[in-house]
Amino acid sequence: MGKRIDVKDLNVFYGDFKAVEGVSMTVEPRSVTAFIGPSGCGKSTFLRTLNRMHEVIPGGHVQGKVMLDDEDLYAPGVDPVAVRRTVGMVFQRPNPFPTMSIRDNVIAGLRLNGVKNKKVLDQKVEESLQGANLWNEVKDRLNKPGAGLSGGQQQRLCIARAIAVEPQVLLMDEPCSALDPISTLAIEDLIGKLKEQYTIVIVTHNMQQAARVSDKTAFFNLEATGKPGNLIEMDDTQQIFNNPSKKATEDYISGRFG
Amino acid sequence: MSLDVKDIPASEAGDLGGIDHGKSGIRVLKNNIATVLIWAAFLIALIPLVWILWTVLSKGLSTILTVTWWQKDQSGVGAPGFDTNVRGARHAIIGTLEIAAATSVIAIPIAVMTAIYLVEYGRGKLARGVSFMVDILSGVPSIVAGLFIYAVWVTFFGWKLNAFCSSLALVLLMVPVVCRSTEEMLKLVPNELREASYALGVPKWKTIVKVVLPTSFSGIVTGSLLGFARVAGETAPLLILAQYTQFLNYNLFSGNMAALPTLINVNVPNMAGDQVSADRVWGAACTLILLVLVINLLGRLIGRLTRVKS
């Protein structure tokens, strides 16, 4: 499991507005890649193009190629719904389905896609919750509402829900920004464990977090408001934080702007 | 702990860190005046409500507390003063419930689906047009809705009127009410839930059916029952379309059918000189209020039982 992502010359638009320009990058399988950069530089927008969630917004479209191993996600005839089953996503704010129990939340993706076998589902509940380091905390109350958990537990529930559909890639859009430090630590530990199986891309505003969890780091920036954001550089995380090759990156990570 | 500002003379106020209590006194006064005005407005608004309830209950309660009222229809009732029994309203109660139920069966799916279109799919000109039409429809006077159905059913097709015509007219009145309330409920569903579902590879229609609708279910039910209550008491279209009858008729599609509003309408002309007619009028009014109350309570109960817990 875990596929390589190859992005070639990707432009991302909201209607006529070009939000991100000319991004090319390679994300290695079973690694953690962090996107950093100031607010509004398009890193979340770009992240959402990797599972075609960008198109959910009216007017959202892209030019260019996103290859998952050797499959072009934007080739004509590719169903965005199928793409999203392969490339899962975890959002900024924990968003468990409020009408569903913890158990139903975990298997929501499977069930809504037609899996009915109770044995398979039960096994998947335990497996996914184990995978999200949540099983021990919730195994006695699987039928309680998912919204009753703490913020950090809810976020891990969302991760369990995302990995239950067995994606190849897991996208995380600032998954810890609504969480306290202890829950953040739990999620970071989990990311370290998940990368053995999945390709992980994480957007974060927290540079320490990027340094702690990621293998590679990509720095996004924009010249000015109203201009499209672009990828300034991408390299090993060590390299980016200790010896960046571009001045803008150095300024940003040393706190001189942004 | 309460410190009454008025007790502190303005001259001393300067000693308390320079806070000017003189101005606070005026503010407190303004606050008191506003409080009194708001309470007065509330009480004035309450007067007609209590008055109506009191009049209807005091004049109608004794009638509806008899068993015959719920068991019998008005068959055999003749000229005013001729018949000395109030008899029952079963025919009108059944009629009102059947007409309103048929209305709901047609109107709720149309309204809910229109709301889903407007909130989940609608973009551009068509959606704006539909939304505008719903606004227009909610502004159509109920008598015009009745006339429209009459024109189509009788004048155009040449069919015989039956109780179902009333339902059709009431559909026109119920759709905008339920549509607007459903729209509001769908808009309350956080977009994050839709995105969470899409991100799991769930198609849009399934997201709506399995995530959006269950989340807003209690609100949609409440809105629908309020729409039901509204059409149950609607009178004008029935005056045109539903010929009153004294007899119990279960069949929506043939013959005349009574309803509580038309039962009232038939008996009102004789009210002044005839206590029996007056009893029927107030009894029917009381029954109608009770019916709407029960439906509202039912709506709240269903709403509470199905509300999303956290």
Side-chain angles (χ1 to χ4, degrees):
Chain A
M1 290 232 278
K3 289 192 175 179
R4 171 201 304 272
I5 305 170
D6 266 305
V7 182
K8 280 174 202 137
D9 246 337
L10 196 77
N11 297 324
V12 190
F13 298 84
Y14 290 106
D16 295 334
F17 176 68
K18 193 191 263 186
V20 180
E21 188 175 36
V23 175
S24 299
M25 66 161 66
T26 301
V27 176
E28 295 296 332
R30 292 178 299 285
S31 70
V32 179
T33 303
F35 292 174
I36 60 170
S39 295
C41 68
K43 55 196 186 305
S44 285
T45 302
F46 174 69
L47 184 80
R48 290 166 62 96
T49 62
L50 300 182
N51 67 343
R52 297 190 65 169
M53 280 295 285
H54 176 64
E55 292 156 51
V56 169
I57 297 157
H61 62 105
V62 305
Q63 286 171 352
K65 269 189 175 170
V66 178
M67 308 289 289
L68 195 65
D69 279 1
D70 42 15
E71 222 181 332
D72 184 359
L73 297 186
Y74 286 93
V78 171
D79 182 3
V81 171
V83 170
R84 291 176 203 139
R85 280 175 208 166
T86 317
V87 185
M89 188 161 193
V90 175
F91 296 83
Q92 189 170 0
R93 291 225 329 249
N95 52 3
F97 298 125
T99 49
M100 297 182 195
S101 65
I102 293 171
R103 178 178 185 278
D104 290 345
N105 258 292
V106 175
I107 50 176
L110 293 171
R111 211 187 238 165
L112 294 178
N113 286 322
V115 179
K116 290 208 177 79
N117 187 328
K118 192 169 177 301
K119 226 173 186 177
V120 174
L121 291 175
D122 278 342
Q123 195 193 337
K124 205 74 209 174
V125 170
E126 176 164 358
E127 197 183 300
S128 307
L129 286 171
Q130 294 274 21
N133 285 346
L134 191 60
W135 175 251
N136 289 328
E137 291 158 67
V138 301
K139 64 176 178 221
D140 300 322
R141 45 172 173 158
L142 291 175
N143 291 317
K144 295 271 163 57
L149 297 172
S150 77
Q153 289 173 325
Q154 285 187 23
Q155 192 63 299
R156 275 178 285 150
L157 178 61
C158 293
I159 293 175
R161 182 176 66 185
I163 60 179
V165 292
E166 298 179 5
Q168 301 290 327
V169 180
L170 206 52
L171 308 177
M172 298 183 161
D173 191 355
E174 299 182 46
C176 303
S177 64
L179 305 181
D180 66 90
I182 291 171
S183 308
T184 299
L185 188 66
I187 302 272
E188 286 180 8
D189 286 347
L190 177 57
I191 291 171
K193 178 177 143 191
L194 288 171
K195 80 168 179 182
E196 292 165 13
Q197 282 190 58
Y198 305 97
T199 306
I200 294 176
V201 184
I202 176 172
V203 166
T204 177
H205 269 293
N206 180 333
M207 278 180 274
Q208 285 80 18
Q209 181 171 65
R212 279 192 301 263
V213 302
S214 69
D215 304 310
K216 299 248 183 178
T217 297
F219 172 63
F220 287 77
N221 201 1
L222 75 175
E223 284 167 30
T225 6
K227 291 261 179 68
N230 14 47
L231 175 63
I232 303 298
E233 66 174 311
M234 178 174 175
D235 210 332
D236 289 340
T237 299
Q238 288 286 328
Q239 190 72 19
I240 289 278
F241 281 95
N242 294 329
N243 195 10
S245 55
K246 299 270 168 51
K247 176 127 189 351
T249 318
E250 193 182 342
D251 288 351
Y252 182 74
I253 58 173
S254 56
R256 248 167 276 168
F257 85 101
Chain B
M1 47 172 263
S2 74
L3 177 67
D4 200 339
V5 174
K6 281 172 290 185
D7 296 344
I8 303 170
S11 59
E12 256 176 54
D15 302 336
L16 293 169
I19 300 169
D20 189 344
H21 287 276
K23 272 187 188 152
S24 289
I26 291 172
R27 191 187 53 72
V28 168
L29 183 70
K30 280 182 191 160
N31 182 42
N32 289 341
I33 291 173
T35 309
V36 168
L37 284 177
I38 289 165
W39 274 97
F42 167 65
L43 291 175
I44 290 170
L46 216 55
I47 290 171
L49 181 68
V50 172
W51 200 343
I52 289 174
L53 274 179
W54 172 248
T55 312
V56 174
L57 285 177
S58 66
K59 297 193 176 186
L61 199 60
S62 59
T63 309
I64 71 163
L65 286 179
T66 59
V67 182
T68 31
W69 179 258
W70 302 92
Q71 271 183 345
K72 295 211 155 136
D73 59 15
Q74 292 274 299
S75 46
V77 170
F82 172 77
D83 191 301
T84 50
N85 292 317
V86 175
R87 293 177 192 263
R90 189 185 183 85
H91 62 316
I93 296 166
I94 299 282
T96 290
L97 288 177
E98 274 195 20
I99 291 171
T103 308
S104 305
V105 167
I106 303 169
I108 292 172
I110 296 176
V112 171
M113 283 194 265
T114 308
I116 289 174
Y117 168 74
L118 287 174
V119 175
E120 304 289 336
Y121 291 96
R123 306 253 171 275
K125 270 187 186 156
L126 182 61
R128 274 203 301 279
V130 171
S131 186
F132 183 61
M133 289 301 164
V134 173
D135 276 340
I136 301 255
L137 204 54
S138 63
V140 167
S142 52
I143 191 106
V144 175
L147 276 174
F148 168 70
I149 297 297
Y150 187 89
V152 173
W153 196 269
V154 177
T155 316
F156 187 73
F157 286 112
W159 294 335
K160 239 169 100 71
L161 280 178
N162 58 34
F164 186 64
C165 301
S166 314
S167 291
L168 288 180
L170 293 176
V171 164
L172 299 178
L173 304 174
M174 189 171 180
V175 164
V177 176
V178 178
C179 181
R180 283 282 172 250
S181 72
T182 305
E183 253 184 276
E184 291 309 313
M185 291 302 135
L186 293 177
K187 280 182 196 158
L188 285 181
V189 176
N191 226 1
E192 287 134 36
L193 294 183
R194 295 186 181 91
E195 293 206 327
S197 179
Y198 296 151
L200 291 171
V202 178
K204 184 165 185 172
W205 68 270
K206 226 169 196 175
T207 300
I208 293 168
V209 174
K210 300 280 187 171
V211 175
V212 178
L213 287 180
T215 308
S216 53
F217 184 74
S218 96
I220 294 174
V221 169
T222 310
S224 300
L225 283 168
L226 289 176
F228 183 97
R230 182 192 181 311
V231 296
E234 192 59 67
T235 314
L238 305 190
L239 295 180
I240 299 173
L241 299 167
Q243 272 85 6
Y244 177 73
T245 169
Q246 299 173 335
F247 304 104
L248 180 58
N249 173 16
Y250 284 105
N251 192 347
L252 274 172
F253 299 97
S254 113
N256 299 338
M257 189 184 265
L260 285 166
T262 47
L263 173 65
I264 294 175
N265 185 55
V266 161
N267 280 287
V268 162
N270 308 324
M271 244 174 107
D274 180 21
Q275 186 52 42
V276 175
S277 292
D279 282 348
R280 289 181 194 131
V281 167
W282 292 114
C286 204
T287 313
L288 200 52
I289 288 180
L290 196 72
L291 214 65
V292 171
L293 183 74
V294 167
I295 290 163
N296 266 321
L297 289 179
L298 201 70
R300 274 161 200 270
L301 188 71
I302 295 177
R304 185 153 303 172
L305 291 181
T306 55
R307 181 157 350 145
V308 171
K309 301 156 203 88
S310 62

